[in-house]
């Protein structure tokens, strides 16, 4: 059996991901220049929200649920799609705040302000909020990604007449999806396509 692809995306979602990173980096630079990361400022919430959204959008380009369906069979499929991306985004935000706390304590001359229980937790929440918003947008767009992949798979599907195969039972192939069907069926049991029995029916 062929392994499933690690990627599950399309051009539109890639075009969503890139501008989010551009916005996040731009916001970070502007707020850094205006002193928005100093104590008592709330402007740093903006880049943390945007970076949470950008990181989650990037992760949603990958099929992160491919290894979880067997481990968590009772979890609804839509949760398996978005929960890994949100969790990894949250992990990145937490690791960054710990890193900032470390720098502020051991390298105070760098001038990095960090107060984990006031500033850090708030930044993590903003990153989580950004990731949740993007995950909601992805769930709305996800059926389109699946439809495009299904259409691409059907376009690449080629049904070739294998001719007479001694010892094999009569077989038929759906002209629409290529599924093997019973030769006396009028509709494909997989896609519902009305069948026309022609050269795609092989009899012994």
């Amino acid at each position: 059996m062929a392994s499933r692809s690690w990627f599950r995306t399309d051009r539109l979602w890639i075009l969503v991901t890139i501008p989010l990173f551009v916005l996040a980096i731009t916001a970070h630079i502007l707020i850094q220049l205006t002193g928005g990361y100093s104590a008592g400022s709330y402007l740093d919430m903006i880049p943390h929200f945007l970076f949470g959204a950008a990181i989650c959008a990037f992760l949603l380009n990958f099929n992160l649920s491919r290894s979880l369906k067997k481990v968590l069979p009772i979890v609804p499929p839509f949760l398996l799609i978005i929960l890994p991306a949100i969790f990894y985004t949250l992990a990145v935000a937490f690791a960054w705040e710990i890193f900032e706390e470390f720098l502020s304590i051991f390298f105070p001359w760098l001038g990095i302000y960090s107060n984990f229980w006031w500033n850090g937790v708030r930044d993590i929440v903003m990153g989580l909020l950004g990731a949740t918003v993007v995950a909601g947008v992805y769930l709305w767009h996800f059926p389109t990604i699946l439809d495009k992949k299904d259409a691409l798979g059907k376009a690449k599907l080629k049904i070739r007449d294998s001719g007479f195969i001694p010892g094999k039972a009569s077989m038929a192939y759906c002209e629409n999806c290529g599924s093997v069907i019973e030769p006396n069926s009028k509709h494909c049991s997989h896609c519902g396509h009305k069948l026309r029995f022609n050269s795609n029916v092989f009899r012994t």
Side-chain angles (χ1 to χ4, degrees):
M1 181 181 296
S3 61
R4 298 169 63 188
S5 172
W6 273 105
F7 295 98
R8 183 176 53 197
T9 189
D10 63 0
R11 292 180 180 178
L12 180 58
W13 192 254
I14 293 174
L15 291 176
V16 169
T17 304
I18 295 173
L20 282 174
F21 272 105
V22 173
L23 284 173
I25 294 171
T26 303
H28 168 72
I29 293 173
L30 291 175
I31 292 174
Q32 183 73 38
L33 293 175
T34 57
Y37 285 105
S38 58
S41 175
Y42 291 92
L43 291 177
D44 64 323
M45 297 170 66
I46 298 173
H48 282 286
F49 175 87
L50 291 174
F51 271 114
I55 293 171
C56 186
F58 170 76
L59 292 172
L60 285 170
N61 284 284
F62 300 90
N63 188 6
L64 299 177
S65 65
R66 67 195 300 270
S67 60
L68 296 177
K69 290 184 178 180
K70 292 182 179 179
V71 180
L72 302 171
I74 62 173
V75 178
F78 77 95
L79 289 179
L80 286 179
I81 293 170
I82 64 171
L83 284 184
I86 294 176
F87 175 78
Y88 293 139
T89 302
L90 188 61
V92 170
F94 182 80
W96 176 255
E97 295 302 324
I98 294 297
F99 179 66
E100 279 191 338
E101 190 77 10
F102 173 82
L103 291 179
S104 66
I105 294 173
F106 295 99
F107 302 93
W109 59 86
L110 293 176
I112 296 177
Y113 170 76
S114 179
N115 183 330
F116 185 81
W117 297 112
W118 178 81
N119 179 264
V121 172
R122 184 191 67 189
D123 292 343
I124 292 173
V125 171
M126 291 307 298
L128 176 61
L129 182 59
T132 304
V133 171
V134 164
V137 175
Y138 183 82
L139 282 180
W140 171 76
H141 179 61
F142 183 66
T144 303
I145 296 177
L146 288 184
D147 290 343
K148 288 181 179 179
K149 285 191 174 293
D150 289 343
L152 182 62
K154 289 178 181 178
K156 291 182 177 179
L157 179 64
K158 294 181 180 179
I159 302 176
R160 295 181 296 177
D161 191 340
S162 61
F164 176 75
I165 305 176
K168 296 291 183 181
S170 299
M171 296 183 297
Y173 293 89
C174 175
E175 299 169 343
N176 182 52
C177 68
S179 300
V180 177
I181 56 174
E182 295 294 332
N184 296 324
S185 302
K186 294 183 179 180
H187 294 84
C188 174
S189 59
H190 180 70
C191 68
H193 179 69
K194 185 176 181 180
L195 304 173
R196 294 180 303 166
F197 293 103
N198 48 29
S199 62
N200 291 333
V201 180
F202 312 130
R203 300 184 181 278
T204 57

